[in-house]
Amino acid sequence: MSAKFKPETTHKADATALLDDRGYSGLLIRGQNPALLFEKAVRDRITESYYWKEQCFGLNAATLCDRAAELTAIGGTYGGVGKPTPFLCLAFKLLQLVPQREVILEYLNFHGEDGGEDGDADAAGNGESGAVQNPQALGKRGEFKYLRALAAFYIRLAWEPVDIYTTLEPLLADFRKLRRRTREGFALTYVDQFVDDLLTKDRICATSLWKLPSRANLEDLEMLEPRVSPLGDEVEELDREDEMEEESDGVVEERDGSSERSRNGSVRRYSDSGSEND
Amino acid sequence: MPPKKMTANPLRGPIYRAGKPLPGQSDSSDSSDEPEEEEETPAPKPAPPKAASFRPKPKPATPAPAATSPQDLAEGFETASEDESGSDKEDGSGSGSDDESSSEEDEESSEEEVAPRKLMRPVFVKKNARVTSATPAKSYEEIEAEAEARRKATADAMLQEQLELAAAEKANRKKHWDEEDNIDEAEFVDDADAATPESAAAELAAWKLRELRRVKRERAAIEEAEAERAEVERRRNLSAAEREAEDREFLKKQEDEKGERGTMSYMQKYFHKGAFFQDDLKANGVDRRDLMGAKFEDATNREILPEYMQMRDMTKLGRKSRTKYRDMKSEDTGRWGDFEKRGPGKDHGVDERFRSDGHEGRGQAVTGANSGPLGERKRPGQGEDRDGKRARFDDR
C-alpha cells in the first residue's frame, strides 16, 4: 500500500530510504525529498563520515537533543577533503526526520521562561515587542545555543517564507557568541549574525539555501508586517539626532528630512502615490 | 676472618642486609633492650596488623609511660606528668586487649624517655579522683561507630574522586571522529557567554551596533527601490524630446569619463579578467582600473614588426604551441556590407568570343541547356489555331 503520509515511527534508522530517491515515500518538503536540499557532494560527505555513522544512527527527535547539546561549533564542511561538521550531520538528520512544528519550536526555545513564539497563542510576560528595556531577557533563551542555531537552520530550509520570517526574527535579539568552523580554522560569530546570514545570504554552511522572497515582497503582498526592530526607541533617537544635526548645519535637504521624519522606528511601506515627498 | 676469595679484588666493608644484624655487631643492640621488657612479651615482635580503629593515636613527641606501668607500680599512684598525658592517651587505647601493643610501644617510647630523663615521682591520688584506663570516656561501641563513619567517609571521598576523574576524562577524551582535528585550535575562539556585567554590557553594545547596521541596510534598500520607481515615473512624465535630451547628456557624460581612459594599442595584451570576477574586484576596490589604456615601459609597436612576430604574448615566440591567429579582422575572409564597388566582372579580361551568353540582361542562373530562346507558352483555351503554323500550299 502506498501511504502518502508516513508516520515518523517507521523511518529507517540509517538513511537508506532517504537517500534512495526513487523509492522515497516519506514526508516531502516543498514537494520533494528533503535530502535534496543538500547537494549531492555534501550528502555523500555526510553519509560517509564517522560522526554520521556512529552518532546519528537511530536518532529520534529526543536523542537528537542530546547530540545537539554536545555541539561546540556550527559550520559546513572543512578541511581540504570537505569533512562535514557534526552540526551539518545533525541538520541532515533533522531533514530526514522532518519533525513537527511544535518540536522545532521547542528546540528553538528550549528552557525558555517566556511564552513561545508565534506558534503559541498565549504570549506570556515580556513578548517581543515590548522588551526593549531589557534585551538581555530576549537574548537568554535557553542554555543550548547550538541547538537553537540548528533549529534555525532547519527552519530556514524547511518551512514556508512567512513562518521563516516570523519565527527567525525574534532570534535577531540573541547576541550570544557562536563558534563557526571555517575551511581552515575557526571564527567567531553571533546568533543574530548567523540568523541574519540565514535570511539574506544565498549560501551558508555548505548549503545553497533555496531562494527566499525578500521581506519587501512579502510586505507588499501584505503577508507580513514591517519589521519593528528591538532597538525601536533608540533608532528614533538617532533619527532625531540626525535631523537636529542637519538643521543646525543649515543644510536641509528636504528629501532626506522628510524621509527621516516619515520613518520613525519602523519601515514605511511604499505608497502608490508616486513620489514620497510630503 | 673474612672468607678468602679467589679473585684478587679488594675486599669491601661489611654488607648491610635489611632486618639482619650487621656481621660485626651481632647481639649488642638486642641485649640493651632486654631489661626494659620485664613482664611483657619476651622478644620484640612487630605488632600484628590490626584494624584501623584499634590503632592507638600516634603518640606525641613526649610520650607518656604506659597505662599499665602505674598499675604495676602501685594502685592509685600516678606520676604527676602522667596525669595530663594519660587522659588523652586513654582515647586511643581501648580495652585491655590492645594493651600489649600499646604497652610495647609505650615501653619502647618510655625506654627512650627514661634514658635521657629520670623517673617521675609517684603522687598519690584518691580513689574517687582516679581516672583509669578501664573506664574510657567513650564506650567501645561509640568509638567503633565513629571509626566506621570515618572509614565510610574516606571511602566515599575516594569513590567520589574516582567518579569525578572518570567523568572528566570522558568529557575530555577525543571523540574519535574528530581524531585528526585540532581541538585545541577551537579554544582560541572563545564562545563563552559574558561572565561579568562589564563584558555583558560590551556584548550588548556590539549587538546594538549590528542591529543598527541591519536597520540601516533595510532602509537603504527601500530608499533605493523607491528612488528607482520615482525615477521611472518622472521619465514617463517627460515628453519624448526631453527624454532624448537627457539621454544625450548621459552619453556625453559617459564618454567624458571614458575619455580619460586610453585605448588599446595594436594587439595589446588583454588583462581584463572577465565579467565573472567583477564582484571580487569591486570588493577589493580595483574595478575602476584603466586596463586598456595602460602602457608599459617596454611597449613595442607591433605594427612595425613582421607578421610572424605580431602576437599578443611574446613568450610564445618560436614555440610550438603558438597560434598564428592575430585578430578577427585580419582573419576575416568575408565582405560585409560591401555592395557598391564591384570590381571588373568574371569575364572582363576574356576575349569577346569566349564570354558567357546571358550576362547582359539575364541572370547568371540561365546557363547550359536552358539558355536557348523561348517562345510564348501555349494557353489551354486557345488550341483552335492548329493550322496556324502549318506550311500553306495555295494550289491544293
Side-chain angles (χ1 to χ4, degrees):
Chain A
M1 70 154 188
S2 63
K4 266 204 300 196
F5 179 76
K6 198 162 184 161
E8 279 176 23
T9 50
T10 61
H11 77 268
K12 282 201 189 302
D14 65 349
T16 47
L18 178 74
L19 297 172
D20 185 10
D21 204 15
R22 292 168 300 171
Y24 184 69
S25 58
L27 295 167
L28 302 175
I29 288 184
R30 271 186 294 279
Q32 65 168 358
N33 186 352
L36 297 181
L37 286 167
F38 282 8
E39 293 146 8
K40 174 93 170 82
V42 175
R43 261 183 286 153
D44 288 344
R45 298 256 191 265
I46 291 175
T47 348
E48 289 160 2
S49 71
Y50 279 125
Y51 185 82
W52 173 265
K53 289 179 181 167
E54 293 181 23
Q55 303 290 321
C56 297
F57 184 83
L59 284 189
N60 58 11
T63 49
L64 197 139
C65 283
D66 302 336
R67 298 275 182 271
E70 297 164 7
L71 279 177
T72 57
I74 65 175
T77 56
Y78 63 93
V81 199
K83 195 162 164 205
T85 50
F87 181 82
L88 199 64
C89 297
L90 289 180
F92 193 58
K93 196 70 189 179
L94 272 182
L95 283 180
Q96 181 190 351
L97 296 175
V98 192
Q100 291 178 346
R101 192 190 161 84
E102 288 79 22
V103 176
I104 296 291
L105 286 177
E106 257 318 297
Y107 286 173
L108 206 59
N109 305 316
F110 186 63
H111 195 259
E113 50 271 28
D114 299 349
E117 302 304 324
D118 61 326
D120 302 308
D122 46 339
N126 39 342
E128 162 61 38
S129 49
V132 169
Q133 294 78 19
N134 189 8
Q136 281 195 335
L138 292 174
K140 269 293 185 179
R141 283 269 172 83
E143 311 160 19
F144 304 109
K145 47 193 180 182
Y146 290 103
L147 178 62
R148 207 168 197 211
L150 185 67
F153 190 46
Y154 175 78
I155 286 176
R156 172 63 175 91
L157 288 174
W159 285 10
E160 295 300 311
V162 179
D163 294 333
I164 292 176
Y165 278 114
T166 46
T167 324
L168 288 187
E169 269 168 9
L171 268 74
L172 287 174
D174 185 352
F175 52 81
R176 288 182 286 187
K177 291 192 248 185
L178 287 178
R179 192 184 288 139
R180 204 178 107 234
R181 180 130 213 190
T182 55
R183 236 175 300 143
E184 308 99 7
F186 292 83
L188 178 70
T189 182
Y190 304 90
V191 177
D192 60 304
Q193 181 68 42
F194 178 60
V195 170
D196 189 39
D197 289 343
L198 281 178
L199 291 176
T200 45
K201 273 202 202 161
D202 291 328
R203 207 179 151 80
I204 197 169
C205 286
T207 337
S208 274
L209 306 173
W210 68 278
K211 184 131 177 50
L212 194 64
S214 72
R215 210 202 159 81
N217 289 355
L218 292 177
E219 283 171 22
D220 291 342
L221 292 171
E222 307 217 0
M223 294 206 248
L224 279 181
E225 296 298 316
R227 176 170 162 243
V228 179
S229 157
L231 285 184
D233 295 342
E234 306 197 8
V235 168
E236 281 185 39
E237 280 178 30
L238 279 176
D239 286 346
R240 264 181 260 126
E241 280 177 22
D242 287 344
E243 272 186 40
M244 283 172 7
E245 275 184 24
E246 284 183 9
E247 283 164 20
S248 68
D249 286 349
V251 177
V252 179
E253 298 181 16
E254 199 201 319
R255 192 177 129 88
D256 284 348
S258 63
S259 71
E260 297 284 65
R261 256 179 271 125
S262 68
R263 274 191 212 83
N264 276 333
S266 71
V267 164
R268 187 167 158 235
R269 281 184 50 204
Y270 169 68
S271 58
D272 292 83
S273 60
S275 85
E276 46 153 339
N277 291 325
D278 298 341
Chain B
M1 182 80 180
K4 190 170 184 305
K5 291 201 174 177
M6 298 287 286
T7 64
N9 290 334
L11 294 168
R12 292 184 297 167
I15 301 169
Y16 169 72
R17 304 259 181 233
K20 296 201 192 315
L22 277 177
Q25 359 155 343
S26 52
D27 282 324
S28 54
S29 54
D30 286 347
S31 54
S32 63
D33 284 342
E34 277 306 302
E36 304 304 319
E37 300 169 9
E38 306 127 329
E39 315 84 8
E40 304 307 323
T41 56
K45 65 175 195 286
K50 302 239 176 187
S53 59
F54 299 122
R55 284 182 72 82
K57 277 167 82 164
K59 300 290 181 295
T62 61
T68 55
S69 27
Q71 288 174 6
D72 291 330
L73 295 171
E75 282 227 15
F77 278 96
E78 278 184 356
T79 52
S81 59
E82 275 178 11
D83 216 338
E84 314 84 59
S85 45
S87 51
D88 55 2
K89 184 177 50 68
E90 272 152 10
D91 298 344
S93 59
S95 58
S97 63
D98 67 339
D99 279 349
E100 282 192 355
S101 57
S102 60
S103 65
E104 278 176 7
E105 298 182 52
D106 294 340
E107 299 288 349
E108 289 167 6
S109 58
S110 62
E111 151 215 333
E112 293 158 15
E113 185 202 24
V114 159
R117 287 169 49 184
K118 52 186 170 133
L119 269 175
M120 304 294 167
R121 178 189 169 82
V123 169
F124 182 74
V125 177
K126 282 205 173 155
K127 189 168 185 136
N128 309 340
R130 274 180 225 156
V131 180
T132 63
S133 62
T135 60
K138 294 189 198 162
S139 73
Y140 175 67
E141 287 82 15
E142 281 178 9
I143 295 173
E144 222 185 291
E146 264 183 23
E148 275 288 335
R150 240 180 291 131
R151 252 187 309 155
K152 270 219 180 88
T154 47
D156 282 344
M158 273 174 52
L159 192 61
Q160 182 70 17
E161 235 181 87
Q162 293 283 336
L163 285 176
E164 278 174 9
L165 270 178
E169 201 226 323
K170 186 168 181 239
N172 290 342
R173 84 190 143 120
K174 272 204 205 171
K175 319 201 186 314
H176 48 274
W177 61 86
D178 269 340
E179 252 173 27
E180 60 265 20
D181 298 334
N182 249 3
I183 310 288
D184 302 330
E185 214 182 292
E187 305 301 321
F188 294 153
V189 176
D190 176 31
D191 70 339
D193 295 331
T196 65
E198 292 86 23
S199 41
E203 274 194 14
L204 188 63
W207 169 75
K208 279 191 186 163
L209 187 64
R210 271 179 271 135
E211 183 67 24
L212 272 175
R213 281 217 186 101
R214 283 195 278 264
V215 171
K216 273 207 186 112
R217 186 184 68 193
E218 277 180 25
R219 285 194 186 175
I222 290 189
E223 275 180 24
E224 230 182 87
E226 293 201 13
E228 217 182 287
R229 277 185 219 127
E231 176 73 18
V232 165
E233 282 287 330
R234 189 185 67 86
R235 269 182 76 84
R236 231 177 263 158
N237 296 342
L238 292 175
S239 68
E242 285 171 359
R243 250 177 258 154
E244 277 175 26
E246 277 192 19
D247 285 345
R248 254 179 278 133
E249 269 181 43
F250 184 71
L251 286 172
K252 204 155 65 71
K253 202 158 62 84
Q254 244 188 3
E255 276 177 22
D256 288 341
E257 281 176 18
K258 201 169 173 233
E260 294 151 10
R261 310 159 150 232
T263 47
M264 273 177 80
S265 51
Y266 177 61
M267 292 188 76
Q268 180 172 331
K269 195 158 181 211
Y270 200 62
F271 287 109
H272 198 277
K273 289 190 122 191
F276 193 63
F277 291 95
Q278 283 298 98
D279 288 338
D280 282 346
L281 294 180
K282 201 171 212 154
N284 292 336
V286 292
D287 62 328
R288 302 294 300 168
R289 273 183 182 164
D290 182 15
L291 288 169
M292 305 305 165
K295 297 277 182 278
F296 300 95
E297 281 186 17
D298 54 349
T300 49
N301 187 6
R302 287 191 183 83
E303 286 163 6
I304 56 178
L305 291 174
E307 267 190 27
Y308 172 68
M309 287 173 70
Q310 279 177 4
M311 54 183 74
R312 282 214 163 80
D313 192 6
M314 290 304 275
T315 59
K316 297 252 188 280
L317 187 60
R319 287 199 181 182
K320 191 169 141 194
S321 60
R322 172 211 161 180
T323 52
K324 296 192 182 62
Y325 177 90
R326 278 184 302 166
D327 50 11
M328 278 185 88
K329 250 189 135 163
S330 55
E331 307 298 329
D332 187 24
T333 56
R335 278 169 27 208
W336 305 104
D338 180 19
F339 297 110
E340 277 74 28
K341 277 176 54 182
R342 206 179 298 168
K346 231 187 336 180
D347 299 316
H348 184 74
V350 179
D351 198 46
E352 212 184 63
R353 294 168 285 174
F354 304 108
R355 290 201 186 146
S356 57
D357 295 332
H359 63 271
E360 303 241 82
R362 217 185 279 204
Q364 277 115 356
V366 184
T367 53
N370 291 334
S371 56
L374 290 174
E376 277 192 16
R377 204 181 187 185
K378 257 196 211 145
R379 301 283 161 209
Q382 300 165 7
E384 278 81 33
D385 196 9
R386 287 183 65 203
D387 299 329
K389 295 203 174 131
R390 205 176 281 178
R392 291 182 62 144
F393 301 105
D394 285 336
D395 42 329
R396 284 265 180 103

